[in-house]
Amino acid sequence: MKHFTLGAIAALALTTASHAQQQIVVGHALSPASHYGVGADAFLNTLTELSGGTFTGSQAPAGQLGGERDMIEGLQIGSLDVVITSTGPLGNFVPQVYALDLPFLFRDYDHARTVLDGEIGQELLDKIGENNLVGLAWSENGFRHVTNARHPVRTPEDLKGLKLRTMENRVHMAAFEGMGAAPTPMAFPELFTALQQGVVDGQENPVTVITAAKFWEVQKYVSLTGHVYSPAVVLASPILLDSLTEEQKGWFMEAAKASAAATRAEVNRLEEAGVALLRENGMEVITDIDKAPFAALAEESSYAVYTDQYGSEMIERIKAVE
Ligand code: EAX
């Protein structure tokens, strides 16, 4: 009878294990069919294909794993694998990222994508990597607009006294304080109920999120202020990534790039079709907005959140990108 040494059995077990399927969960705060859900599916399909089926997985949408801040903490302790999140709460972990959240800084989608896909974007992904997280790729949420249940917003005066939910983001809160609203930071999974119950009068989000969350059910007015470009980012747990071979890490990077491309394509589609959808569902869309007074107040009150700590060099670099 052939005797197997213990070493041979252990090697066989290790080999088998290394080829065993590994389940990856991609968490995010929006609906499965949202621009993040489309990105999660693209991530998983690409990873499964590149790995020959070694890695498979599923998305955990709709805040099942918690709000974005909770999910980022989950990555740091290794309880979560991959998360697609806006940069909203990320500044609490990587303050340098606040530069991307500054109001009226990005001119348009082309400008934002060029910055994020260039050296500035890479520098900030590297900063994320210095804070017990792995920034795999910049994805996208979109330009944010104000919705509310009380009255049309056309000027900063119209914001006065509005209880407006913001993300847990110091720059955004300072910006809305400066514009005259009363900002209330809140995790996204709590928002729809808070709007339904009148805990807050309004909120601000891109058309992509307003449509994904069906906010027309609890909000009457949307003002296309476009006051902030909201990046999203594909983050991974450093504990997971440290357990992978270099080749496997490359698969995760490629999958994240595919995710970002799919999300951006969906943002493009919804930017075209989304406003009509809001109107079809009964929202009054205010488009005749002079952004200058909003920008003056928002910049005066919020840029210091970033420049007090990091100066204005990064801001000038972002503005200079063509
Ligand atoms: O990332 O919290 C928010 O308003 C975000 O835009 C939403 O969770 C998508």
Side-chain angles (χ1 to χ4, degrees):
M1 179 184 148
K2 194 170 184 184
H3 292 283
F4 284 98
T5 64
L6 270 181
I9 292 169
L12 180 65
L14 272 176
T15 309
T16 312
S18 70
H19 288 90
Q21 269 196 355
Q22 190 165 342
Q23 289 291 320
I24 298 296
V25 175
V26 180
H28 63 90
L30 301 180
S31 59
S34 66
H35 57 307
Y36 286 2
V38 165
D41 287 342
F43 180 93
L44 292 162
N45 294 337
T46 304
L47 182 61
T48 299
E49 189 185 329
L50 290 175
S51 68
T54 307
F55 290 94
T56 59
S58 57
Q59 60 171 296
Q64 289 170 8
L65 302 177
E68 294 182 336
R69 183 175 188 147
D70 302 330
M71 289 192 280
I72 294 171
E73 287 167 355
L75 292 174
Q76 291 186 317
I77 63 173
S79 61
L80 298 184
D81 301 327
V82 174
V83 168
I84 297 172
T85 175
S86 74
T87 53
L90 189 55
N92 297 294
F93 302 86
V94 189
Q96 292 90 338
V97 168
Y98 277 137
L100 302 178
D101 298 324
L102 292 168
F104 300 101
L105 176 60
F106 290 99
R107 297 186 295 273
D108 53 33
Y109 280 103
D110 284 346
H111 178 218
R113 293 169 182 176
T114 304
V115 168
L116 292 174
D117 294 346
E119 64 179 21
I120 290 174
Q122 187 54 56
E123 281 174 33
L124 291 173
L125 288 177
D126 294 344
K127 279 293 171 207
I128 290 171
E130 295 168 15
N131 288 274
N132 194 22
L133 290 165
V134 179
L136 293 173
W138 289 109
S139 186
E140 187 166 79
N141 198 12
F143 276 94
R144 303 178 77 92
H145 307 297
V146 173
T147 69
N148 86 93
R150 284 180 39 195
H151 53 248
V153 169
R154 286 190 174 80
T155 68
E157 274 304 304
D158 297 331
L159 281 175
K160 285 217 180 319
L162 274 187
K163 287 179 292 179
L164 205 72
R165 176 270 179 178
T166 68
M167 296 195 281
E168 297 150 293
N169 180 300
R170 292 171 55 226
V171 168
H172 292 185
M173 290 172 67
F176 278 100
E177 267 163 12
M179 289 189 277
T184 306
M186 185 185 297
F188 188 77
E190 299 161 29
L191 176 53
F192 190 93
T193 305
L195 290 167
Q196 206 166 32
Q197 295 174 349
V199 170
V200 288
D201 303 313
Q203 63 88 45
E204 45 84 52
N205 247 297
V207 169
T208 50
V209 175
I210 301 168
T211 51
K214 296 187 172 59
F215 280 153
W216 51 69
E217 294 177 359
V218 288
Q219 299 279 266
K220 173 66 182 164
Y221 305 99
V222 53
S223 302
L224 300 186
T225 49
H227 52 276
V228 160
Y229 170 75
S230 186
V233 60
V234 184
L235 297 174
S237 166
I239 296 165
L240 169 64
L241 267 285
D242 288 347
S243 72
L244 303 179
T245 64
E246 286 311 305
E247 182 186 34
Q248 291 170 333
K249 285 176 188 171
W251 297 339
F252 275 68
M253 294 296 286
E254 285 311 306
K257 288 192 177 86
S259 173
T263 293
R264 285 179 177 176
E266 185 65 2
V267 170
N268 290 343
R269 186 184 72 80
L270 280 166
E271 281 293 304
E272 286 296 311
V275 171
L277 198 56
L278 301 182
R279 286 198 175 99
E280 284 162 25
N281 284 284
M283 291 192 88
E284 183 179 328
V285 181
I286 294 93
T287 56
D288 55 331
I289 291 167
D290 175 3
K291 297 186 180 184
F294 287 99
L297 290 166
E299 288 173 22
E300 184 186 343
S301 58
S302 68
Y303 276 48
V305 171
Y306 177 80
T307 56
D308 281 358
Q309 199 165 356
Y310 299 106
S312 56
E313 186 213 352
M314 177 61 83
I315 296 169
E316 296 315 315
R317 286 176 61 197
I318 289 173
K319 285 179 178 174
V321 170
E322 290 301 319

